[in-house]
Amino acid sequence: MSIHCATAVAHPNIAFIKYWGNRENTLRLPSNGSISMNLAGLFTRTTVQFDPSLESDQVILNGTTPPYPTIQRITSFLDIVREMAGKQTPARVVSENNFPTGAGIASSASAFAALGLAASQAAGLKVTEPQLSALARRGSGSACRSIPGGFTEWLTGSGDRDSFAVTIASADHWKLYDCIAILEVDHKPVGSTQGHSLAATSILQSARVADAPRRLDICRHAILTKNFENLAEIAEQDSNLMHAVMMTSSPPLFYWAPTSLNIIKNVPTWRKENLPVFYTLDAGSNVHLICPEPYQDQVIKRLMDIPNVQNVLIAPPGGPASLAQG
Ligand code: PMV
C-alpha cells in the first residue's frame, strides 16, 4: 500500500440520547451531548487516494458519481484534511455501504467516520482517536460517535478541539440488538444538516437542551449498569422530545410515517407481554427497536407481522472505525 492511499471501515450508530441542533453550524458544535451505540454488521468502506495527476476530487459512491452537492460536501471535508497535512493534492474517493442504499438508514455517520480515517491516513497524518473523532464531526456531527467503539458519548466540548466522542462501554459490554424496521415510504426526508439549522426555531428546543445533562446521566448510568428498563424509558423520552422539536420548528418537520406511529404504539403492549424492547427514531420514518439478547427473533417476527414493514435489519454493538486492506 502506498502512503498516499488508505482504506477504512466504519459502522453507523443509533443514538439513545439524540443530537439535534448546533450551537455553531460550520464547525458542527452540538447544542447538547449525545450517546449512541455503533451498529456491527452494517458498515461503510472507503478508499482515499491522493493523486497529483487528478485535476479535482473524484468521488464514486456505491458504484456511481453522486450529485454535485454531495461531491462538494466531500471536497470541503477533504480540504480540512489537506489543510491539516499542508497539501493541495486532489483525491480519488471510492466508498460503498454494505446496507441497502435508499432504505433510509442514515449513512452519513459511517460515511464521514470512514472518510476521515482513510483520508487522514492517506495524507500521512498522525492523529489520536479524539482528534479523528473531532475531524469526522466536521463532515457530519454524528460521525464523531462512529470513530470510537461500542457505546460512545459525544462530549459537547468548548470548541473544535474538545468536541469529540469517547467510548463509555465496549461493544462486548452488553449484547443489545438494534432491529431496524425499514418502511415503505415514497418521499425523501429533509436532510439532517438542514434540520439542525431549524431546531432553534422551536420553542421547545431550549427546554430539550437544558434538560440534556439529566437524560445523559440516566442513559450513561443505565448502560454502565445494564439497566434495560431505565435505558428504555429515557431513550423513548429523548426520541419523543427530539421529534417534538422537529414537529414544532418553522417550517415543521414530520419524519414519522403512519406505520412508524403504529409500531411506537405497539411497543408498550409488547413490553406488558414481557418482551423487553424500546423504540427510537432518527430523522426518518424507520423505527429502531432495541432489545437485549435473546429477544431479537421475537422482535423481528412481530415487526414483520406489521403491514408496510418492508424488511428488518439487525445489528448488535459494533467496534471502532478501523483501517482495512484496499
Ligand atoms: O450527523 P447528522 O447531521 O446526520 O445528525 C444526526 C441526527 C440524528 O440522527 C437525528 C440524531 C443523532 O444523534 O444521531
Side-chain angles (χ1 to χ4, degrees), residues 24-304:
E24 207 284 318
N25 278 319
T26 314
L27 292 171
R28 295 181 195 268
L29 297 174
S31 300
N32 62 276
S34 51
I35 291 180
S36 62
M37 175 180 108
N38 285 352
L39 302 177
L42 311 179
F43 59 82
T44 301
R45 180 190 187 88
T46 302
T47 299
V48 176
Q49 183 176 24
F50 288 100
D51 182 347
S53 73
L54 295 175
E55 280 183 10
S56 59
D57 294 329
Q58 280 185 3
V59 180
I60 304 287
L61 298 188
N62 298 308
T64 53
T65 304
Y68 184 65
T70 305
I71 300 179
Q72 247 186 337
R73 186 167 170 187
I74 290 169
T75 289
S76 306
F77 183 79
L78 289 171
D79 284 344
I80 300 169
V81 177
R82 280 185 280 254
E83 198 186 315
M84 285 165 76
K87 60 158 74 195
Q88 287 169 349
T89 321
R92 186 176 292 110
V93 175
V94 179
S95 184
E96 269 177 30
N97 296 328
N98 80 332
F99 44 96
T101 34
I105 301 292
S107 54
S108 63
S110 52
F112 282 99
L115 182 65
L117 177 53
S120 54
Q121 175 78 9
L125 288 170
K126 294 266 170 289
V127 281
T128 62
E129 187 179 89
Q131 285 169 335
L132 194 54
S133 174
L135 171 64
R137 190 201 76 234
R138 302 286 302 274
S140 176
S142 59
C144 76
R145 299 190 311 244
S146 283
I147 294 290
F151 298 83
T152 76
E153 178 167 359
W154 176 3
L155 311 166
T156 52
S158 58
D160 182 30
R161 283 176 175 210
D162 60 353
S163 184
F164 53 75
V166 295
T167 294
I168 56 170
S170 65
D172 59 9
H173 167 71
W174 196 6
K175 198 76 179 261
L176 293 180
Y177 279 91
D178 183 5
C179 307
I180 312 166
I182 311 291
L183 310 186
E184 291 167 22
V185 279
D186 49 14
H187 70 277
K188 202 176 161 5
V190 172
S192 49
T193 300
Q194 201 186 333
H196 291 299
S197 66
L198 297 179
T201 65
S202 165
I203 55 166
L204 305 182
Q205 172 71 346
S206 54
R208 181 189 156 274
V209 170
D211 180 64
R214 180 191 69 91
R215 298 192 306 281
L216 287 161
D217 282 349
I218 293 173
C219 180
R220 195 185 312 108
H221 193 248
I223 290 171
L224 295 178
T225 57
K226 300 188 208 175
N227 185 327
F228 189 80
E229 265 181 33
N230 286 359
L231 180 62
E233 192 182 337
I234 204 67
E236 287 186 353
Q237 185 184 94
D238 187 86
S239 174
N240 294 342
L241 275 168
M242 180 183 73
H243 285 272
V245 166
M246 291 164 160
M247 290 175 197
T248 50
S249 299
S250 304
L253 301 173
F254 293 94
Y255 286 106
W256 297 354
T259 307
S260 319
L261 188 57
N262 187 5
I263 298 171
I264 288 171
K265 290 180 99 172
N266 266 295
V267 167
T269 313
W270 295 348
R271 273 202 295 263
K272 277 195 197 115
E273 293 164 4
N274 291 323
L275 180 61
V277 60
F278 69 84
Y279 64 80
T280 183
L281 290 89
D282 281 342
S285 61
N286 294 330
V287 185
H288 295 251
L289 288 191
I290 316 293
C291 67
E293 192 171 40
Y295 296 98
Q296 65 275 16
D297 291 344
Q298 279 190 58
V299 171
I300 294 170
K301 190 176 170 312
R302 289 188 194 226
L303 281 174
M304 290 308 287

